Amino acid sequence: MSATTWCIALQGLEGARVEVEAATTMNLPRTIFVGLPDAALNEAKERVKHGVKAAGRKWPDGVVTVNLSPGSVHKHGTHFDLAIAVAAMSVDERNEVARPLLADTVLFGELGLDGRVRPVRGIIPLLLAASRHGFERAVVPAAQLAEAELVPGITVWGVAHLHEVLEVLAGRPVLHSVPQAQPDEAAPASPDLSDVRGNEEARFALEVAAAGRHHLFLHGPPGVGKTMLASRLPSILPPLAPSEAIEVSAIHSLAGERLDGGLITRPPFQDPHHTASRQSLVGGGGGGEIRPGAVSLAHRGVLFLDEGPEFGQKTLESLRVPLENGYVSIGRAMQQVRFPARFQLVLAANPCPCGSHGVAGKECSCPPFRVRQYQDRLSGPILDRVDIMLQMPAVTRFMEVDGPVPESSAVVLSRVLEARERQARRLAETPWTTNNEVPGSYLRSELPLPDASPINRALALGKLTSRGVDKVLRVAWTLADLAGKEAVGSTELMAAMRLRLGDAARAA
Ligand SMILES: [Zn+2]
């Protein structure tokens, strides 16, 4: 006797189809698992056997061999329990398992010793992979039904207990009420730009960064509002397109987040602390399971690194590949996993470790070599990617609290959306959609060049490096897009150079 069920093994966001075959031969009773890693094997065996008995069903007599194939595919996670349990029950006729639906249904769920079906990690990428492999039906933990129903193209049935799975297979689906997703109430309201008063230059730099998707460097003493500003960037970024929302939600699902409020439709914001491990930043994990890190959780959103120099050289270096390619590869001897990581970087730094260097009215207590060392940590490959460097002044007076309330995020977002449309139209025939992606060669050969005299003056004065010229051009195009202009003029060039004053400040 043998029986087959289906499951999915995840490698990153990709999933391989796994056939779970159970067979019995008459001999002394024992259970053999083939095709699961050793560590997971014993735990799964115990959970499944207890679960089957708790559901009032028979564990087959004799030798039960459960084979998960192909053997070459790495299988991790507890979500195989359900497929294993149903395959094992099916080989014993006393269990009267209805088999017709098994051939094109995937089964996902962890079993408790009492037969309860528990939630699993990554239900969204599991279902997406199942759908790609042609499965039209899936059985999922009832507690995850709301999330599971977000995945298009596959019918899902929720089950809370192993005996309910058998009801579903017999054509008597058990109804579980799905709590209505209420994204607006469930998600914490993202902070609004109208909270940022008085600092017009910083607000404008943030708007330009949002419009052209430029990476941004905020430089200034502690307490000038760098975090306040950065955390408001997502509120002026365009909402995610439906396919992006699915992709971003899949990554967060894989990290173990519950998405009861519905798909993630706003650009995410990640702000790892500088003491965070390299693994939590770029991804990794123990026990064979590789999880996405902050760079991937920030995919299609914002990665904010406050006190950038404190992150350490090695950690900052690890951002180079995702900044360049939009993904990270995490490798082990046997397994290579790739996660998307196309984030917008906001980097913030104090002028020195104590925060007072160069601040009027304050005295820096750092030795000069420490100040230089601190500032040098951000140089090189990371800052090369940053188009806008904003020097934020120390707060020298109280903001005019009684003044007019500044523009809200919604008002700024409407301008950002228009500017994005202009870019998309201009770049329609290219592989790029936003100004930050456009390489210098294209800027100089394909787009109309402005009168370059302001740039030449800045080059001659040493205020701009030749590498900086491309960045100025990119930002100038974004300024033209925001102003609704068809070409870059000297106004845009001058303003773009001001948004690179960080360079001059560092050189001084
Ligand atoms: Zn200092």
Side-chain angles (χ1 to χ4, degrees), residues 336-354:
Q336 186 84 21
V337 164
R338 180 188 280 199
F339 290 118
R342 197 171 289 284
F343 53 83
Q344 189 172 356
L345 180 68
V346 180
L347 206 56
N350 296 334
C352 67
C354 85

Side-chain angles (χ1 to χ4, degrees), residues 351-357 363-367 371:
C352 67
C354 85
S356 298
H357 183 75
E363 204 156 322
C364 171
S365 58
C366 313
V371 176

Side-chain angles (χ1 to χ4, degrees), residues 7-8 28 57 73 183 203 254 293-294 307 328 330 343 353 373 377 382 389 401 436 465 475-476 490:
C7 201
I8 297 285
L28 286 177
R57 305 291 165 150
V73 168
R203 287 177 52 104
L254 199 60
E307 300 188 41
V328 275
I330 303 153
F343 53 83
Q373 204 178 41
R377 270 191 227 158
I382 304 302
M389 301 172 105
V401 187
N436 76 307
T465 61
V475 174
S490 60

Side-chain angles (χ1 to χ4, degrees), residues 476-497:
W477 272 106
T478 301
L479 290 164
D481 290 329
L482 276 170
K485 293 186 183 171
E486 293 302 326
V488 166
S490 60
T491 319
E492 286 76 35
L493 276 187
M494 298 297 282
M497 279 197 285

Side-chain angles (χ1 to χ4, degrees), residues 274 276 278 281-282 305 307-321 347 370 372-383 506:
H274 60 75
R278 191 174 170 278
L281 195 66
V282 297
L305 301 185
E307 300 188 41
E310 301 286 353
F311 274 81
Q313 202 72 51
K314 274 233 166 82
T315 309
L316 291 170
E317 285 286 319
S318 64
L319 295 177
R320 198 173 50 81
V321 173
L347 206 56
R370 281 281 290 135
R372 181 160 297 275
Q373 204 178 41
Y374 185 83
Q375 293 179 346
D376 281 350
R377 270 191 227 158
L378 285 182
S379 60
I382 304 302
L383 280 191
R506 284 165 59 80

